[in-house]
Amino acid sequence: MLSSSLWTIRFFAASLSAAAALAQGACPVNAVFVGLQDQVRGYALRSSGSTTPCQVLQGPATALSTARAIAFSKNRYLHVAQFLTNSTVDIFAPDASGNQPPFRSFTVSENDLVSIAVDSKINDFVLSIRQPNLPIFVVPAGATGYQGNATVITDPNIQQYQAIATDRDDNLLAAGYDSSGNARIDTYRTSMSLTAPQMIRSLTGPGTGLLRGAGTFGTNDLSIALDPESQELAVYNTTADHTVIQVSIFARGASGNVAPSRVISGPLTGIGAPGYAGAGKISVSADGRLFVAESGGRILVFAAGASGNTAPAQIITDPALGSAGQGGIAVRSCLCQ
């Protein structure tokens, strides 16, 4: 039988080993991640206040240098669209951390990648703003290397793209501004065809209350995110001068000139201006909470159903990122924990 002192030593050694594995390994299933140029950092969803990341990808082997737009696939792999780095998309395993190389990578024929979405079949949709009205690349599951012949989807109604997303039915949502500067979100039936999808609905018009933004090359004045469960659509939108900022929440499948079901806006929210191009502002967890990325390593979290001039229910702050600009955000979550 082990002596009491020896048992105590082994117990604490095992505890330290487990703690080290958690610090160096993977976040829990329910976590929020931020792409910050040369690194991606993850935090447990229920974190609050000063928080140490549970997962960090950083180092030369990762090849991350302009990591801004990020998304998760259904198998929890992290997909990172790098803004300028040779038009590259890197895919990392769920538990990838430290100076670990991507599980796989591919490149497309344009850089300036500002948004990425993944459907249930693990097809990647990658948005470039390299040229006006160009393009959304469709890259098949498992692709590696140069995708010079990738399918391209363009939306003639959108003059300046801002963001994309996929819904639970595997349809593609494209958000941006029309030729008059009006915000517009079109949905394409990519669930039926990836090469020639039909537009099935469009959300636009003064009744939506969506703000007229600049749609400039340097920022994402529109960001979109879908609630994984309810499929409500959250839209971060701002005026061109960023003096009015709001997150508008629309019912599932909202179409036409319809009003949002609620709007989060006002000084108490603390929601700020957009970050760099490609650094999407918002994501939504499976339990309906809204996560908003801010500069300085801050993430604002709003309770499910939040509306109006309301303060965040929690604020995640990473003290190591006090001077950092805003990164792109993505929540990985389910109702399984």
Side-chain angles (χ1 to χ4, degrees):
M1 182 179 294
L2 291 173
S3 69
S4 175
S5 60
L6 182 57
W7 183 90
T8 301
I9 290 171
R10 290 190 176 182
F11 173 80
F12 279 108
S15 298
L16 289 173
S17 177
L22 177 61
Q24 297 171 6
C27 288
V29 171
N30 291 318
V32 56
F33 290 74
V34 180
L36 292 156
Q37 301 288 87
D38 69 338
Q39 61 188 290
V40 177
R41 297 168 81 86
Y43 312 88
L45 279 195
R46 290 293 178 180
S47 302
S48 189
S50 182
T51 302
T52 300
C54 48
Q55 196 168 338
V56 178
L57 269 167
Q58 187 178 27
T62 67
L64 298 175
S65 62
T66 53
R68 300 180 187 176
I70 61 177
F72 284 96
S73 63
K74 70 174 183 180
N75 57 8
R76 300 175 186 164
Y77 278 64
L78 172 67
H79 295 234
V80 182
Q82 300 210 58
F83 182 67
L84 291 173
T85 309
N86 300 322
S87 317
T88 302
V89 173
D90 296 307
I91 294 92
F92 295 89
D95 60 351
S97 66
N99 186 27
Q100 187 166 336
F103 173 76
R104 63 181 172 93
S105 299
F106 64 81
T107 60
V108 291
S109 60
E110 295 285 355
N111 59 9
D112 298 338
L113 308 181
V114 296
S115 191
I116 184 168
V118 190
D119 69 13
S120 69
K121 302 176 182 67
I122 323 297
N123 297 307
D124 281 283
F125 299 83
V126 187
L127 172 60
S128 168
I129 55 168
R130 181 62 178 170
Q131 300 178 36
N133 213 34
L134 272 176
I136 301 169
F137 295 101
V138 184
V139 180
T144 60
Y146 180 57
Q147 300 295 306
N149 295 320
T151 295
V152 170
I153 296 173
T154 58
D155 187 334
N157 302 302
I158 295 179
Q159 183 72 26
Q160 179 63 60
Y161 286 117
Q162 293 281 290
I164 56 174
T166 51
D167 66 18
R168 193 162 53 195
D169 298 323
D170 286 341
N171 296 316
L172 175 71
L173 284 74
Y177 298 100
D178 65 18
S179 58
S180 299
N182 300 309
R184 183 184 185 101
I185 303 167
D186 293 334
T187 301
Y188 283 84
R189 187 167 280 155
T190 47
S191 57
M192 298 297 292
S193 172
L194 294 175
T195 56
Q198 174 192 10
M199 190 176 77
I200 55 176
R201 58 181 172 268
S202 182
L203 182 65
T204 191
T208 65
L210 294 174
L211 303 168
R212 290 170 57 92
T216 56
F217 183 84
T219 62
N220 283 76
D221 291 353
L222 272 179
S223 292
I224 59 175
L226 287 158
D227 184 313
E229 293 297 320
S230 72
Q231 291 290 280
E232 285 186 320
L233 173 66
V235 185
Y236 169 90
N237 55 121
T238 173
T239 52
D241 60 4
H242 303 155
T243 57
V244 181
I245 297 169
Q246 63 191 30
V247 177
S248 309
I249 313 296
F250 293 88
R252 177 180 182 176
S255 182
N257 186 25
V258 298
S261 55
R262 49 196 170 89
V263 176
I264 302 171
S265 182
L268 290 179
T269 68
I271 301 174
Y276 302 114
K281 285 284 289 189
I282 59 173
S283 191
V284 182
S285 62
D287 59 4
R289 291 181 295 146
L290 173 71
F291 289 70
V292 183
E294 297 293 341
S295 60
R298 297 168 63 245
I299 301 172
L300 312 180
V301 188
F302 295 87
S307 182
N309 184 21
T310 185
Q314 66 192 91
I315 300 176
I316 302 170
T317 304
D318 188 335
L321 299 174
S323 60
Q326 179 219 308
I329 191 169
V331 167
R332 182 183 70 193
S333 70
C334 66
L335 297 180
C336 53
Q337 290 187 341

Short mmCIF file of all heavy atoms in Angstrom, two decimals, residues 15 27 52 56 90-91 113-114 135 174 239 242 259 262 267 274 313:
data_model
loop_
_atom_site.label_atom_id
_atom_site.label_comp_id
_atom_site.label_asym_id
_atom_site.label_seq_id
_atom_site.Cartn_x
_atom_site.Cartn_y
_atom_site.Cartn_z
N SER A 15 -2.49 15.69 -11.01
CA SER A 15 -3.30 16.90 -11.17
C SER A 15 -2.58 17.93 -12.01
O SER A 15 -3.16 18.57 -12.90
CB SER A 15 -3.65 17.49 -9.80
OG SER A 15 -4.41 16.58 -9.05
N CYS A 27 -9.55 23.06 -26.06
CA CYS A 27 -10.64 23.65 -25.29
C CYS A 27 -11.77 22.62 -25.18
O CYS A 27 -11.83 21.65 -25.93
CB CYS A 27 -11.18 24.88 -26.00
SG CYS A 27 -10.10 26.32 -25.96
N THR A 52 -7.52 33.05 -19.22
CA THR A 52 -6.41 32.42 -19.93
C THR A 52 -6.97 31.52 -21.01
O THR A 52 -7.88 30.73 -20.76
CB THR A 52 -5.55 31.59 -18.96
OG1 THR A 52 -5.03 32.44 -17.95
CG2 THR A 52 -4.40 30.91 -19.70
N VAL A 56 -4.28 27.64 -27.92
CA VAL A 56 -3.62 28.67 -28.72
C VAL A 56 -2.88 27.99 -29.86
O VAL A 56 -2.10 27.06 -29.64
CB VAL A 56 -2.63 29.50 -27.89
CG1 VAL A 56 -1.94 30.53 -28.78
CG2 VAL A 56 -3.33 30.20 -26.73
N ASP A 90 -6.43 27.25 -44.26
CA ASP A 90 -5.83 26.19 -43.46
C ASP A 90 -6.88 25.55 -42.57
O ASP A 90 -7.68 26.25 -41.95
CB ASP A 90 -4.71 26.75 -42.59
CG ASP A 90 -3.56 27.32 -43.42
OD1 ASP A 90 -3.05 26.59 -44.28
OD2 ASP A 90 -3.18 28.49 -43.20
N ILE A 91 -6.85 24.23 -42.48
CA ILE A 91 -7.80 23.49 -41.66
C ILE A 91 -7.01 22.76 -40.56
O ILE A 91 -6.06 22.02 -40.86
CB ILE A 91 -8.61 22.48 -42.50
CG1 ILE A 91 -9.52 23.24 -43.49
CG2 ILE A 91 -9.48 21.61 -41.61
CD1 ILE A 91 -8.93 23.47 -44.84
N LEU A 113 -9.18 37.39 -48.67
CA LEU A 113 -10.25 36.51 -48.20
C LEU A 113 -10.84 37.07 -46.91
O LEU A 113 -10.13 37.25 -45.92
CB LEU A 113 -9.73 35.10 -47.98
CG LEU A 113 -8.97 34.47 -49.17
CD1 LEU A 113 -8.51 33.06 -48.83
CD2 LEU A 113 -9.81 34.49 -50.44
N VAL A 114 -12.16 37.36 -46.92
CA VAL A 114 -12.76 38.06 -45.79
C VAL A 114 -13.81 37.27 -45.03
O VAL A 114 -14.26 37.69 -43.97
CB VAL A 114 -13.37 39.41 -46.23
CG1 VAL A 114 -12.31 40.35 -46.74
CG2 VAL A 114 -14.47 39.20 -47.27
N PRO A 135 -15.13 36.89 -55.77
CA PRO A 135 -16.14 35.86 -56.01
C PRO A 135 -16.34 35.10 -54.72
O PRO A 135 -15.62 35.30 -53.74
CB PRO A 135 -15.47 34.99 -57.07
CG PRO A 135 -13.98 35.06 -56.75
CD PRO A 135 -13.78 36.28 -55.86
N ALA A 174 -25.29 35.31 -48.55
CA ALA A 174 -24.29 36.28 -48.96
C ALA A 174 -24.78 37.67 -48.56
O ALA A 174 -25.89 38.07 -48.91
CB ALA A 174 -24.05 36.22 -50.46
N THR A 239 -23.39 52.41 -39.60
CA THR A 239 -23.34 53.49 -40.57
C THR A 239 -21.90 53.63 -41.08
O THR A 239 -20.95 53.14 -40.46
CB THR A 239 -23.79 54.82 -39.94
OG1 THR A 239 -23.04 55.04 -38.73
CG2 THR A 239 -25.27 54.79 -39.63
N HIS A 242 -19.50 54.87 -38.63
CA HIS A 242 -19.46 54.02 -37.43
C HIS A 242 -19.95 54.73 -36.17
O HIS A 242 -19.59 54.35 -35.06
CB HIS A 242 -18.02 53.50 -37.20
CG HIS A 242 -17.46 52.74 -38.36
ND1 HIS A 242 -16.11 52.63 -38.61
CD2 HIS A 242 -18.09 52.06 -39.36
CE1 HIS A 242 -15.93 51.91 -39.71
NE2 HIS A 242 -17.11 51.56 -40.18
N ALA A 259 -39.08 43.72 -40.82
CA ALA A 259 -38.38 44.25 -39.66
C ALA A 259 -37.73 43.12 -38.86
O ALA A 259 -38.21 41.98 -38.86
CB ALA A 259 -39.35 45.02 -38.78
N ARG A 262 -35.82 41.82 -33.08
CA ARG A 262 -35.23 42.64 -32.01
C ARG A 262 -33.93 43.24 -32.49
O ARG A 262 -33.33 42.75 -33.47
CB ARG A 262 -35.01 41.82 -30.73
CG ARG A 262 -34.30 40.52 -30.91
CD ARG A 262 -34.45 39.59 -29.70
NE ARG A 262 -33.96 38.25 -30.00
CZ ARG A 262 -32.72 37.85 -29.82
NH1 ARG A 262 -31.82 38.70 -29.30
NH2 ARG A 262 -32.34 36.63 -30.13
N PRO A 267 -25.37 52.67 -25.92
CA PRO A 267 -24.08 52.78 -25.21
C PRO A 267 -23.84 51.69 -24.18
O PRO A 267 -22.68 51.33 -23.93
CB PRO A 267 -24.16 54.16 -24.56
CG PRO A 267 -25.62 54.51 -24.53
CD PRO A 267 -26.20 53.86 -25.74
N PRO A 274 -16.23 48.13 -36.50
CA PRO A 274 -15.65 46.91 -37.07
C PRO A 274 -14.13 46.93 -37.03
O PRO A 274 -13.50 47.98 -36.92
CB PRO A 274 -16.17 46.92 -38.51
CG PRO A 274 -16.50 48.34 -38.80
CD PRO A 274 -16.94 48.92 -37.50
N ALA A 313 -24.01 40.18 -20.71
CA ALA A 313 -24.17 39.32 -19.54
C ALA A 313 -22.82 38.88 -19.00
O ALA A 313 -22.68 38.57 -17.82
CB ALA A 313 -25.01 38.09 -19.91
#
